Amino acid sequence: MIPNSAICKTAVSLLGITLLFAAAAGVAQQSAPVATNPPIAVLPLTSKSPEAVRLVQEALDLYLDQVEQEEANVLLRKAVQVDPDFAMGHEFLAQISLDSAEQVDQQAKAFATRNHATTSEQLVIEWYQDAADHKLISAITKMNDVLNQYPHDKWVVWMTTWWLFNQSQFERSIAIYERSGIMDSPGLVNNMGYNYAAVRQFDKAFTMMDKYVALLPNDPNPQDSFAEILRMAGRFDQSIEHYRASLAINPNFYSSQFGIADTYSLMGDQVRARKEYEIGFQKFSLAELQQILWKTREATTFVREGDYEGADQAFQAIADYAHSRHNSQAEADTYRQMAIFQQNPKQALVYLGKAEAATQDGKNALRIAISQELAQILRARVEVALKMGDKQMAKANLSRLTDMSESSNDKLIELAYHGAAGAVCFNERKYDKAISHLEEDASNPLSLKLLAAAYQKIGYSAGAKRTDETLENLNDPTLEQALVVPAFRKCSEGPGCGGNAKSAALKH
């Protein structure tokens, strides 16, 4: 996996985007960074305490190459205790922490102490603060300024490519990495494997994973990452082999245990999947965000089985846990997910009301996460309204979402808008307009489902076939995938499921 990747991967379906997880090279103590040979510009890090610097260096190594986030967080907490004015120490902890309250608190402390840092460090901290405040144009500008200053610094390249990955800008992320000339950084190799996989260039992704394993042969994370990318490609048996190889190296590498459970769920064996999840929950003590993540994946197994009563109970328990942890964004998203699998649209609206109320509460959540979550809720409201035949409600919520999209410059909000607008246009039989929107949201199974049907409606068989193949080969363990892909595959494999039957199966 990539550090906290499972959480970030579910930005649309679970936790929204946690800000980009920072890293820095060239650590200094009120002095110029040490030059490398050949010389390149490196991002400095300023602290008055050598001990704090050492702790941060060790934490970054644990975080980036070994994906030991909890251990890294412990060291970062020590670092900012040693030097409370260590601005980038606070920033690292804000981004790496798996506790929502700590994320918010440490981001505020990083911004408050930024004057103790160099101009370059201040630029990084302000980049993150702008993102936290959902001022994305300013954030993107500062991100580009940092990259222009340090285009060959591996940690700056990591920061920018990771940011772009979380904004679904995979092609640009790849281009920045390839221009950097950095080919021996395990963290970047891992990151790029996921970027290539996201655009379904699996040959390149596998090449990256082979290199990652070779760079760190005795570390569990390369095997874990390889397993996840194999799973994305639909190679489930090989995926499980690599997850088990990861656990053989380190039995406490819990993401591999939950990865096995996720894989069995995608394979259709929900009973086995739940057994594997329970092994993980019993064996490991999880941080808040990871507890929510994998409890959500476990709850989704009930949806895959069509056991909606069991799903309601499981998801409600997650919502209650998020509420008890004062994590408003996670609570909101859990209720949103409950809404989209409801068989009764009126009950779906009840859950969406609870979801929106949680966003208004806004406890222990950054503004960017709340805004992105609200966009997903509005999209769900549009889709529920269409199911109810209430076009007025659909258009009213789409109008709210349109305003958000036009004013935010946020890629994830924009994707939510296109998905909702495409659904409205499809419902109105304006298939050409629907296609123009749905093509913008082509990673979401709900949009892909309608896109395939829209292509069929206009007689574009090549587009329909291409979209069918994309949908059939979508292997993300999300609720949206569970609601769409298994039924689509069953239809495709059925002896009497030709064009007309498949079209019917895709009706909104």
Side-chain angles (χ1 to χ4, degrees), residues 4 7 15 17-19 21 69 90-110 132 288-289 327 329 364-366 369:
N4 227 12
I7 293 171
L15 295 174
I17 281 189
T18 303
L19 289 180
F21 305 130
Q69 282 180 262
H90 289 296
E91 190 63 62
F92 292 138
L93 186 53
Q95 307 313 325
I96 296 175
S97 174
L98 294 169
D99 180 280
S100 59
E102 186 173 51
Q103 290 174 349
V104 174
D105 176 66
Q106 290 298 313
Q107 181 60 43
K109 288 180 177 177
E288 171 192 314
L289 297 181
N327 189 330
Q329 193 270 328
N364 294 328
L366 299 172

Side-chain angles (χ1 to χ4, degrees), residues 114-255:
R114 69 191 186 283
N115 289 335
H116 294 276
T118 63
T119 302
S120 296
E121 293 167 89
Q122 291 179 31
L123 187 62
V124 172
I125 292 168
E126 290 170 4
W127 160 18
Y128 295 143
Q129 186 63 47
D130 284 343
D133 292 338
H134 212 227
K135 300 175 182 177
L136 289 188
I137 293 177
S138 178
I140 291 168
T141 299
K142 288 169 182 173
M143 177 197 76
N144 287 332
D145 287 345
V146 173
L147 180 63
N148 288 337
Q149 290 181 41
Y150 308 104
H152 305 294
D153 180 317
K154 68 177 180 179
W155 301 120
V156 170
V157 173
W158 170 276
M159 285 190 280
T160 53
T161 56
W162 185 233
W163 165 272
L164 292 166
F165 177 86
N166 283 325
Q167 283 284 313
S168 299
Q169 299 283 348
F170 308 117
E171 290 84 357
R172 189 182 173 202
S173 176
I174 291 168
I176 288 172
Y177 168 72
E178 291 179 345
R179 285 198 300 268
S180 74
I182 304 169
M183 299 297 161
D184 59 352
S185 165
L188 279 174
V189 169
N190 186 28
N191 188 18
M192 284 303 111
Y194 282 91
N195 276 272
Y196 285 122
V199 294
R200 305 198 69 78
Q201 295 183 25
F202 286 113
D203 288 344
K204 290 184 178 180
F206 295 149
T207 297
M208 284 292 178
M209 290 300 100
D210 283 330
K211 186 172 184 177
Y212 189 30
V213 171
L215 285 168
L216 299 173
N218 299 316
D219 190 281
N221 195 61
Q223 296 291 344
D224 183 275
S225 293
F226 212 151
E228 189 172 2
I229 289 175
L230 285 164
R231 188 180 70 205
M232 292 170 68
R235 301 184 184 184
F236 299 130
D237 291 336
Q238 289 177 276
S239 174
I240 290 175
E241 288 177 6
H242 280 270
Y243 279 129
R244 296 203 184 282
S246 171
L247 289 169
I249 294 171
N250 182 356
N252 293 319
F253 202 75
Y254 54 82
S255 71

Side-chain angles (χ1 to χ4, degrees), residues 24 27 45 51-62 75-76 79-80 86 88-89 92:
V27 178
L45 188 74
E51 174 66 6
V53 169
R54 184 192 66 78
L55 289 167
V56 166
Q57 288 177 311
E58 187 175 346
L60 292 179
D61 179 67
L62 284 170
L75 296 182
L76 289 171
V80 296
F86 194 173
M88 284 301 294
F92 292 138

Side-chain angles (χ1 to χ4, degrees), residues 438-480:
L438 296 169
E439 286 179 337
E440 296 295 325
D441 189 35
S443 295
N444 189 305
L446 298 172
S447 291
L448 284 170
K449 176 183 72 172
L450 290 183
L451 182 59
Y455 282 146
Q456 290 172 346
K457 292 292 187 181
I458 67 170
Y460 182 28
S461 58
K465 181 180 179 182
R466 181 180 65 248
T467 308
D468 287 349
E469 292 173 350
T470 299
L471 196 56
E472 288 182 41
N473 291 289
L474 202 60
N475 295 301
D476 293 328
T478 63
L479 179 62
E480 287 82 356

Side-chain angles (χ1 to χ4, degrees), residues 236-300:
F236 299 130
D237 291 336
Q238 289 177 276
S239 174
I240 290 175
E241 288 177 6
H242 280 270
Y243 279 129
R244 296 203 184 282
S246 171
L247 289 169
I249 294 171
N250 182 356
N252 293 319
F253 202 75
Y254 54 82
S255 71
S256 291
Q257 175 60 45
F258 290 107
I260 291 171
D262 288 344
T263 306
Y264 278 117
S265 182
L266 285 167
M267 293 170 72
D269 191 343
Q270 307 311 322
V271 174
R272 178 65 182 273
R274 284 193 289 272
K275 288 181 180 178
E276 297 291 345
Y277 286 121
E278 286 307 314
I279 290 172
F281 292 131
Q282 292 173 16
K283 184 176 180 180
F284 305 112
S285 177
L286 300 173
E288 171 192 314
L289 297 181
Q290 292 175 326
Q291 178 80 3
I292 293 171
L293 170 65
W294 279 302
K295 280 292 183 180
T296 300
R297 298 278 179 83
E298 182 184 41
T300 301

